Amino acid sequence: MVINFAELSLTGLTSFTLIAAAEIGDKSQLVCMTLAARHRSFPIVFGAIAAFALLNTLAVIFGAAIANWLPDYIVASTVAILFAVFGIHALLSKEEENDEDIKEKSGHGIFFTTFLLITLAEFGDKTQLAVVALSSTSQPFAVWLGATCALTFTSALGVIAGRTIMKKIPLVLLHRISGSIFLILAVAAGYQAYLSFAVL
């Protein structure tokens, strides 16, 4: 089996860029920001990493399974529609998201509190669905690595920068960037679906 490192690197970079842009200002980062205001940083970061590693593993397994069960053109068409919906939603979103009140459960360490909060907040979220979609058409390991690194990055950014980053960079601008990336990938997936259908 020949490993194409260029393809792996491109897939990982695409996954990282897309997920990082989509996740900045989202629920998991708000969780990290809120908890970091009251607790030490390292348990929060490690709890977030553990949660995202689990969620991305489930997403990649599901995405790879879908790729094996369904014809290529159906998978690519579904991915194109999914990314288009995410992109339009991000472009149309307003800067009106408020910080959520995060309540800790007594008796749990901050690591497990972070792990549980992020797992519950992100399960079935757009970033996990994006990982499912990406892994159904690309190298699953590269997608997993890129997505996990991206979510680790955004969580660490939330812990380190706190709420100050949200005052300096408009959230609506971050959503525009995220939406544009999703739409570009939607067009690419649509073209791939066309090519797959054309060879039938």
Side-chain angles (χ1 to χ4, degrees):
M1 180 178 178
V2 179
I3 299 177
N4 189 330
F5 288 102
E7 182 181 352
L8 287 175
S9 299
L10 180 60
T11 300
L13 181 61
T14 300
S15 177
F16 179 92
T17 303
L18 174 64
I19 300 301
E23 192 63 23
I24 289 180
D26 201 37
K27 295 187 295 295
S28 63
Q29 194 175 50
L30 294 177
V31 167
C32 292
M33 287 180 180
T34 303
L35 293 177
R38 302 191 301 246
H39 304 283
R40 292 183 297 113
S41 300
F42 285 109
I44 297 172
V45 173
F46 289 134
I49 292 173
F52 287 130
L54 172 63
L55 291 170
N56 288 338
T57 298
L58 295 176
V60 165
I61 291 173
F62 187 64
I66 288 176
N68 291 328
W69 293 338
L70 298 176
D72 291 343
Y73 72 92
I74 293 181
V75 173
S77 298
T78 304
V79 170
I81 294 171
L82 194 61
F83 280 165
V85 170
F86 289 159
I88 293 171
H89 178 267
L91 290 174
L92 295 179
S93 64
K94 304 296 183 181
E95 191 172 7
E96 58 186 9
E97 298 180 12
N98 297 319
D99 293 349
E100 300 177 5
D101 294 328
I102 307 295
K103 296 182 180 179
E104 285 193 62
K105 296 181 179 180
S106 60
H108 290 280
I110 188 59
F111 171 90
F112 293 105
T113 299
T114 305
F115 178 85
L116 290 173
L117 284 173
I118 290 181
T119 299
L120 293 175
E122 292 297 316
F123 192 83
D125 194 52
K126 65 179 185 295
T127 49
Q128 192 182 31
L129 294 177
V131 173
V132 171
L134 283 170
S135 60
S136 68
T137 57
S138 304
Q139 293 285 347
F141 175 73
V143 172
W144 180 89
L145 184 61
T148 303
C149 288
L151 293 167
T152 299
F153 169 75
T154 57
S155 298
L157 189 63
V159 169
I160 295 171
R163 302 180 189 280
T164 57
I165 190 173
M166 307 312 296
K167 297 177 181 178
K168 296 180 179 179
I169 303 177
L171 186 59
V172 66
L173 175 60
L174 298 175
H175 284 309
R176 298 294 181 268
I177 294 172
S178 170
S180 298
I181 294 174
F182 271 120
L183 289 179
I184 291 172
L185 289 178
V187 172
Y191 181 67
Q192 182 179 351
Y194 169 75
L195 293 179
S196 299
F197 184 76
V199 298
L200 293 179

